[in-house]
Amino acid sequence: MSSKFLIAALAATAATAAPAFVTPAFANHHEETKMIGGAAMYPSKTIVENAVNSADHTTLVAAVKAAGLVDTLNGTGPFTVFAPTNAAFAKLPAGTVDTLLKPENKATLTKVLTYHVVPGKVTAAQLVAKIKADGGKTELTTVAGGKLTASLMGDTVMLTDEKGGMAHVTQADVMQKNGVIHVTDAVSLPN
């Protein structure tokens, strides 16, 4: 599958798929600005326009650029992005990030990145309500087609990936013009 086709498929999937717990596009049009990585995240800007300013997300931004996903994540969405920090990427085995950023590994990198994206705008309150309604855990279908399992550990949303790895949402509901970012402390990996 060519990378252009994959990106087009990603954009089409994100534009047409929406989980049952999506808020209307303008329901929260007065969101407050939040700080991430020493930078203000403005609800009037896109996911990429904000992320490029976060000192905590330089690895993620470099990966999004290497995968050719900038235009997609600048698109209308909406998207929910579980955004691993630089420290999260640093937890991966030595050399993993450098290997993923190589041009010959673009398809794998794209799969890993789109595994962190869920179609639609899912707020923390919606996600917690869905977890509770589903008996303590719920599955999220990612843009990559994989599953992330969300559960609660106290008041913290925990994501379990397809390989059994766990990530915690450390900052929720960073509203964007085209969706929402939830900051995580680990990289989630698909099968």
Side-chain angles (χ1 to χ4, degrees):
M1 179 183 305
S2 76
S3 61
K4 284 186 180 181
F5 178 78
L6 183 60
I7 291 169
L10 167 65
T13 301
T16 59
F21 43 96
V22 175
T23 59
F26 298 103
N28 294 317
H29 61 277
H30 295 289
E31 303 96 349
E32 65 185 55
T33 300
K34 293 192 176 182
M35 299 294 289
I36 297 180
M41 300 290 118
Y42 297 97
S44 60
K45 293 185 177 184
T46 67
I47 291 165
V48 174
E49 288 171 337
N50 275 319
V52 297
N53 296 314
S54 170
D56 290 344
H57 290 90
T58 56
T59 304
L60 178 62
V61 169
V64 166
K65 288 177 180 177
L69 294 173
V70 170
D71 289 343
T72 300
L73 291 176
N74 264 335
T76 56
F79 306 105
T80 298
V81 177
F82 295 100
T85 61
N86 294 342
F89 279 100
K91 291 178 185 178
L92 294 172
T96 301
V97 173
D98 291 336
T99 299
L100 283 172
L101 292 175
K102 291 181 179 178
E104 62 267 24
N105 295 320
K106 185 175 180 179
T108 302
L109 177 62
T110 300
K111 183 177 180 181
V112 169
L113 293 175
T114 57
Y115 187 66
H116 290 82
V117 181
V118 174
K121 183 177 182 181
V122 183
T123 66
Q126 290 171 311
L127 185 54
V128 168
K130 184 80 170 135
I131 290 167
K132 289 178 179 178
D134 289 350
K137 66 180 178 180
T138 194
E139 280 192 348
L140 302 172
T141 301
T142 70
V143 171
K147 302 285 186 191
L148 278 172
T149 302
S151 59
L152 290 174
M153 186 161 122
D155 291 336
T156 302
V157 172
M158 185 171 58
L159 301 172
T160 304
D161 65 27
E162 293 172 338
K163 294 190 179 287
M166 287 189 254
H168 301 89
V169 174
T170 58
Q171 188 170 2
D173 291 341
V174 183
M175 299 302 171
Q176 314 291 298
K177 180 167 96 176
N178 61 344
V180 60
I181 292 174
H182 302 294
V183 178
T184 64
D185 65 355
V187 176
S188 298
L189 297 173
N191 278 331

